[in-house]
Amino acid sequence: MTDDSAPRGRSALARLGAGLAHRPWLVVGIWVVLIVASFGAATGTFGGESLFQRLHSGEPQVTGENRDGRALIARGGVTAGSTVMMLVRGVDLRSERVSTTAADAAKTIAAIPGVAKVESPFTASGGPTSKAGSALVQDGSLGSRGFITVVTYQSGLKDPQLSRTEAAVLAQFDHLDRSLGTHSIVGGVSQLIQAITTQVESDLRTGEGVALPLSFIVMVLVFGGFIAAGLPIIGAVASIGGALATLLGFSTLMELDATVVNVVTVLGLGLCIDYGLLTVSRFREELRAETGGRNRSEITRLQVVAATERTLDRAGRTIIFSGLTVAISLAGLLVFEASILRAVAAAGVSVVVVAMLVALTLVPSLCAVSARRLLRRGTEMAPEEGLFSRLARWVHRFPIPIVVVVLALLAGAGAPVLNLRLTSSGHQLLPQEAPQRVLFDTLQTSYPDLSSAEVTVVTWVPPRQVAPWVEQAAKLPGVDRVEGPIPLKHGIVLVWLHTGDGGLGDASRSLTATLRTERPPFPSFIVGQASGLDDFTGSLFARAPIAVGLVVLATFVLLFLMTGSMVLPLKALLLNVVSLGATLGVLVWVFQDAHLEGLLHFSSVGALESLIPPLIIAFAFGLSMDYEVFLLARIVELHEHGASNDESVSHGLQHSGRIITSAALLVVIVFSGFVAGQLLVIKETGVGLAVAVLVDATLVRMLLVPATMTLLGNWNWWAPERLKKWHARYGITE
């Protein structure tokens, strides 16, 4: 054994490792059952709704003017999803057969129980050339060869009546489509939500299909064998199953946005591969040290038990520290008001726990089962001298130039974040060729009279008091058209202001800001996508200092418990700020400024999705601390055994550099797999996290960390005497 194996009290992790090694097949069997049960429950194989059937989609909601106004609109009888449309293209609108067939279908639909109104150009008073009829004809022209039929359901209609009504309407739409011989598009808010959730499921399969095989190939190269490479992949599959089952459980307690599934699942997948790589590598190293270079056929059961015990005692501590830092960063999202961020936090922390359990139980058990096969080729005992120690010594020679150059590069990458613009897309999340995207894009461009108002003024005063202001509203900058006052139930009155930019363009944003500042001369709420975005960003910025403060404090304390230093935690936090700024800057450059539209196959909306900055900051911060813990764990371990500061850094980098770079490469592959998906917010998340990991594992961990530790010297290990004594008694050390 090596010198650092001097006897000391067996930790709980060491005892866990010994227990796993004595009964590895039992642990593996239990996990197989859990994996099958998890995937079965999440996919609905065992009956009941699947996870994907329980997902929702929509703009993030927080308390504020927009939500209060929407509540009044709903009280007045107008609810989202109360209409469904059929877009028909490629027919002769002057044909008597077309007009008769479409009119008959409209009349049949109108007679369906639960249908309140049917609008068709062929049943409108005056026909398709009248004002009411032409609004339902593409571009208002009979030569356009397109029209739309709009069905409105009765307000307050609920299941099972709503389901029966929807089924009957869709059946008639299908019959009309076949009768006309066209390929129409049927959609609405409900269908849009279903399309987004379906795309989430498809993107998840695509991401896994790309990430897992490529990860396996890379790990074969890293480990030099199929068995060792397969163990982290098995752990990753278990993590995915556990993540989906966890999310299914959360979906019964809270509404889960469709994007939460991919974001949280990809985190669990990445972490499990990270932890699996660390565990397998450390096991091979400890087993080689136990056997003393003897033939693998001579390995005894006691040696396997000892290697497993030492692996859990050392790598297990690193995994727990890493998992806690990631969980802390995600828990910061609980401070925010938006339910989607709180859902990500709750589900994300649970998935981190799943990844930790897999790494601390399943993967070590698989190592114990496969012990002899794991040593078929090579060893994971990194030599004291190698690529990473030479890199560290080179950094030791030129610390100041390296710090200056790397910080300049990161500052340059982060510069675009100064022009950050947020949005909250709806149908624009889908690829341009998606039917629901085509429907809503066509509705906005070719049926302007049917498009929903971009900005709505909601009040509860009589229409006669509102009417004089409507004339003034028509003259406001950005307003193309005004409708109202429109009376609803319970005295609710609406004024619809059309800007023609879809609700989040400059005109809508400016108009919303104007109306919120220069209020109408009666009590009112300003409602719309721009209004909701204002409420969300306002809530986000108001609570961000609290969230950041709690995360920073908790992380600082955790790293102090690990290192006994006040300087190392502070330095890690500052470097993370620089790294996160660069990541957000790259995202702005790619997606907001549309520099890689063709390469990544997306259409820019001129902004980042409003959820992306808080999610990227939370996830990337956690992953950055993940690699910081990987590196510091070895450096601290060496320093505790008497190595100097520079020796600890160079030898620590030599021992952990290969693990960090390999783990980072694998995680980048995982996140890049989800860039291949179609949903815009998933692409942004995948690119953001891949960039964050790439920047952190190369520029930060391999260059900035050793350079700054060289400059600080023994100050790296400074702490007040009182805290040193406290750490000696309560800190977590070797």
Side-chain angles (χ1 to χ4, degrees):
M1 292 187 185
T2 56
D3 293 340
D4 62 355
S5 61
R8 59 188 178 90
R10 294 178 72 206
S11 67
L13 285 171
R15 292 193 296 272
L16 172 63
L20 294 173
H22 281 298
R23 299 177 182 83
W25 282 113
L26 174 62
V27 178
V28 172
I30 292 172
W31 269 107
V32 169
V33 173
L34 291 175
I35 293 169
V36 172
S38 296
F39 278 109
T43 58
T45 303
F46 303 143
E49 283 187 307
S50 71
L51 168 63
F52 298 98
Q53 291 173 315
R54 301 183 62 87
L55 299 179
H56 303 269
S57 184
E59 62 183 279
Q61 290 289 326
V62 296
T63 56
E65 184 168 354
N66 190 65
R67 191 164 79 172
D68 292 343
R70 289 190 184 277
L72 278 180
I73 294 174
R75 186 166 179 262
V78 179
T79 58
S82 60
T83 62
V84 63
M85 298 164 282
M86 178 178 181
L87 179 68
V88 178
R89 294 175 295 181
V91 295
D92 184 358
L93 300 183
R94 298 182 178 88
S95 165
E96 183 176 348
R97 183 184 71 84
V98 171
S99 61
T100 300
T101 302
D104 289 345
K107 293 173 183 176
T108 302
I109 293 173
I112 295 174
V115 172
K117 181 174 62 173
V118 179
E119 298 171 87
S120 169
F122 303 106
T123 57
S125 178
T129 58
S130 66
K131 181 178 180 180
S134 62
L136 300 162
V137 173
Q138 185 173 336
D139 299 321
S141 169
L142 292 179
S144 64
R145 300 178 62 80
F147 72 94
I148 194 167
T149 300
V150 182
V151 177
T152 303
Y153 299 126
Q154 293 174 359
S155 62
L157 201 62
K158 297 181 180 180
D159 282 329
Q161 179 59 53
L162 177 59
S163 296
R164 289 195 294 267
T165 302
E166 287 180 332
V169 170
L170 295 178
Q172 288 301 317
F173 275 160
D174 182 62
H175 177 71
L176 174 59
D177 188 45
R178 285 185 280 106
S179 298
L180 295 176
T182 59
H183 294 287
S184 60
I185 300 175
V186 175
V189 174
S190 297
Q191 287 74 19
L192 174 62
I193 293 173
Q194 183 180 4
I196 291 174
T197 55
T198 300
Q199 190 63 58
V200 165
E201 187 174 6
S202 174
D203 285 356
L204 183 59
R205 288 196 301 266
T206 300
E208 292 168 357
V210 172
L212 291 178
L214 286 179
S215 298
F216 180 72
I217 292 172
V218 171
M219 278 192 280
V220 169
L221 297 176
V222 170
F223 285 119
F226 287 97
I227 301 298
L231 301 191
I233 293 296
I234 294 173
V237 172
S239 179
I240 293 172
L244 293 178
T246 301
L247 289 169
L248 178 64
F250 275 107
S251 72
T252 64
L253 303 175
M254 63 179 73
E255 284 193 356
L256 281 185
D257 190 271
T259 57
V260 171
V261 176
N262 274 4
V263 172
V264 172
T265 303
V266 74
L267 173 70
L269 179 59
L271 285 178
C272 209
I273 288 179
D274 267 6
Y275 298 159
L277 180 64
L278 176 64
T279 302
V280 174
S281 297
R282 190 68 188 238
F283 178 81
R284 294 176 76 179
E285 180 179 332
E286 296 295 345
L287 185 58
R288 182 64 68 182
E290 283 289 336
T291 57
R294 290 191 294 273
N295 191 292
R296 65 186 180 89
S297 62
E298 300 175 8
I299 296 175
T300 67
R301 183 182 179 188
L302 289 179
Q303 289 173 329
V304 172
V305 171
T308 309
E309 179 179 331
R310 288 167 61 84
T311 296
L312 264 291
D313 189 35
R314 294 174 178 180
R317 290 191 313 131
T318 303
I319 289 168
I320 290 175
F321 268 114
S322 172
L324 287 175
T325 58
V326 177
I328 286 170
S329 67
L330 293 178
L333 295 175
L334 289 170
V335 173
F336 295 107
E337 185 184 0
S339 59
I340 184 172
L341 293 180
R342 297 167 72 89
V344 168
V349 170
S350 299
V351 169
V352 171
V353 172
V354 171
M356 290 171 60
L357 288 174
V358 169
L360 293 174
T361 58
L362 175 59
V363 176
S365 299
L366 291 171
C367 287
V369 169
S370 312
R372 292 182 177 84
R373 293 175 178 269
L374 289 177
L375 293 187
R376 179 170 293 179
R377 293 183 183 178
T379 174
E380 289 304 308
M381 290 181 66
E384 293 301 315
E385 297 297 329
L387 172 64
F388 292 101
S389 62
R390 289 194 296 271
L391 173 64
R393 285 199 300 274
W394 176 76
V395 172
H396 292 332
R397 292 173 58 194
F398 309 103
I400 294 178
I402 288 172
V403 169
V404 171
V405 171
V406 173
L407 288 180
L409 288 173
L410 294 177
V417 81
L418 298 175
N419 299 317
L420 174 65
R421 177 184 172 96
L422 299 179
T423 190
S424 184
S425 301
H427 66 277
Q428 297 95 338
L429 290 174
L430 294 168
Q432 286 184 308
E433 65 277 7
Q436 294 303 307
R437 172 77 182 266
V438 172
L439 171 65
F440 281 92
D441 282 345
T442 304
L443 193 66
Q444 183 177 329
T445 57
S446 299
Y447 298 88
D449 291 341
L450 295 182
S451 296
S452 300
E454 283 80 9
V455 179
T456 300
V457 178
V458 187
T459 186
W460 50 95
V461 302
R464 65 178 180 277
Q465 293 180 231
V466 179
W469 179 80
V470 171
E471 296 181 8
Q472 301 174 28
K475 301 175 184 178
L476 291 173
V479 176
D480 289 343
R481 179 166 54 93
V482 180
E483 294 181 75
I486 302 167
L488 302 178
K489 296 178 181 178
H490 306 295
I492 309 301
V493 177
L494 308 181
V495 177
W496 288 339
L497 305 177
H498 295 264
T499 63
D501 65 4
L504 285 169
D506 290 335
S508 293
R509 294 182 188 225
S510 177
L511 177 60
T512 297
T514 299
L515 291 174
R516 284 188 162 201
T517 304
E518 303 171 15
R519 310 292 308 191
F522 46 81
S524 61
F525 292 115
I526 311 304
V527 173
Q529 286 181 283
S531 179
L533 184 61
D534 282 349
D535 288 344
F536 178 78
T537 53
S539 174
L540 202 65
F541 288 122
R543 300 193 179 206
I546 301 174
V548 171
L550 291 174
V551 170
V552 166
L553 178 61
T555 303
F556 188 94
V557 171
L558 188 65
L559 289 179
F560 173 75
L561 288 173
M562 176 183 174
T563 64
S565 165
M566 298 288 285
V567 176
L568 290 176
L570 179 61
K571 180 176 65 67
L573 291 168
L574 291 176
L575 292 182
N576 271 8
V577 171
V578 178
S579 178
L580 289 172
T583 299
L584 290 176
V586 171
L587 275 176
V588 170
W589 186 82
V590 171
F591 290 97
Q592 180 175 308
D593 299 340
H595 281 101
L596 299 180
E597 274 187 317
L599 180 63
L600 298 180
H601 304 291
F602 71 94
S603 56
S604 174
V605 294
L608 291 186
E609 295 303 314
S610 58
L611 290 172
I612 291 300
L615 289 183
I616 290 296
I617 289 173
F619 280 61
F621 180 88
L623 289 169
S624 295
M625 296 310 300
D626 182 36
Y627 297 118
E628 179 76 3
V629 168
F630 278 23
L631 179 57
L632 283 182
R634 277 300 179 117
I635 293 175
V636 170
E637 182 180 326
L638 290 164
H639 192 263
E640 287 176 350
H641 286 88
S644 68
N645 178 76
D646 286 357
E647 287 175 342
S648 298
V649 173
S650 60
H651 293 159
L653 194 62
Q654 175 63 19
H655 282 285
S656 61
R658 183 184 179 191
I659 300 299
I660 291 173
T661 53
S662 299
L665 175 59
L666 292 166
V667 171
V668 167
I669 289 173
V670 168
F671 292 142
S672 299
F674 287 87
V675 176
Q678 299 296 311
L679 212 61
L680 180 60
V681 69
I682 301 301
K683 281 184 179 290
E684 291 181 355
T685 304
V687 170
L689 293 179
V691 169
V693 170
L694 188 62
V695 167
D696 192 83
T698 54
L699 296 179
V700 176
R701 301 304 147 206
M702 298 296 110
L703 296 176
L704 272 184
V705 168
T708 53
M709 291 192 76
T710 298
L711 290 174
L712 291 170
N714 288 330
W715 283 102
N716 286 300
W717 311 99
W718 178 85
E721 286 300 323
R722 181 175 296 180
L723 287 179
K724 282 185 177 180
K725 293 178 181 178
W726 187 91
H727 181 266
R729 184 172 182 179
Y730 299 107
I732 304 174
T733 64
E734 280 289 302

